Amino acid sequence: MHSRIFQITKEQAEPENYLNENTLEQGDTASIDYCAEIDRKDREESIAYLVDSILPKGMFTRLGANIIRYNGGIEQWKEETVARIKEKAVALTADNYFRFGELYTLKKAVENPLDTAYLFYTDKEGLQSWADQSYDFMCMVNELEEGALLYIGGVIDYHF
């Protein structure tokens, strides 16, 4: 399956530090099979989809091709997310603990609260060799003040 990885940083990354198809660890021992560059049209569509459909509704506004503004809303999002995680935890019992579905959905809710195959890369220097699921990105959002700007650097395709 294919999805996207977004480099999103608090400070604008220099173009030579943009995430690219060679930045991340890939292959047999990595969670990513391979990465590939995307064209400008796919990049534009991917960023629009990220802001309009993946990130929590109303939490971000796209200000330009590579800039999004945080509008607030993390407190309500955390309350709703914790409530969903608690529901999944209650569904986990001693009888179904070793069944794939129950434990997997709980783990997924914690590690990937946006429930997306999109990954996030928050290193503006381009030195980090991995991308994270949405929990780590939302941790960064939790530290933002309303009105803060985030910058989109590299956007690449990946296969998993």
Side-chain angles (χ1 to χ4, degrees):
M1 294 175 50
H2 286 265
S3 192
R4 299 285 189 253
I5 303 172
F6 295 85
Q7 181 181 26
I8 304 178
T9 56
K10 294 179 188 178
E11 297 174 19
Q12 197 162 17
E14 296 296 325
E16 62 268 13
N17 295 332
Y18 275 15
L19 171 71
N20 65 54
E21 64 184 359
N22 299 313
T23 305
L24 306 175
E25 185 177 335
Q26 305 166 53
D28 293 336
T29 61
S31 61
I32 296 172
D33 294 333
Y34 63 86
C35 297
E37 297 292 330
I38 58 174
D39 64 28
R40 192 170 287 215
K41 180 181 179 236
D42 283 342
R43 175 189 167 85
E44 173 65 28
E45 290 172 356
S46 296
I47 294 170
Y49 188 76
L50 172 72
V51 175
D52 296 339
S53 301
I54 299 297
L55 297 177
K57 295 278 184 236
M59 195 177 283
F60 294 91
T61 301
R62 190 169 179 195
L63 299 180
N66 299 317
I67 302 172
I68 58 176
R69 180 184 61 226
Y70 170 62
N71 299 322
I74 193 71
E75 293 305 320
Q76 178 182 346
W77 179 85
K78 287 190 300 187
E79 292 291 330
E80 293 167 359
T81 300
V82 168
R84 279 193 304 276
I85 291 170
K86 286 179 178 180
E87 285 176 23
K88 292 177 186 330
V90 167
L92 186 64
T93 66
D95 291 333
N96 67 18
Y97 179 76
F98 289 111
R99 287 190 204 137
F100 176 74
E102 298 298 332
L103 187 58
Y104 174 77
T105 58
L106 176 59
K107 182 180 174 186
K108 186 174 149 188
V110 171
E111 295 175 346
N112 189 11
L114 295 181
D115 193 24
T116 181
Y118 282 8
L119 297 177
F120 299 88
Y121 184 82
T122 57
D123 178 13
K124 80 175 190 92
E125 302 300 326
L127 301 174
Q128 185 174 301
S129 63
W130 70 90
D132 296 307
Q133 292 186 324
S134 61
Y135 173 81
D136 295 298
F137 173 73
M138 294 307 289
C139 284
M140 181 177 79
V141 172
N142 187 53
E143 297 172 1
L144 299 176
E145 292 189 24
E146 190 172 323
L149 301 180
L150 294 175
Y151 302 91
I152 300 172
V155 179
I156 58 174
D157 175 74
Y158 81 101
H159 183 268
F160 60 103

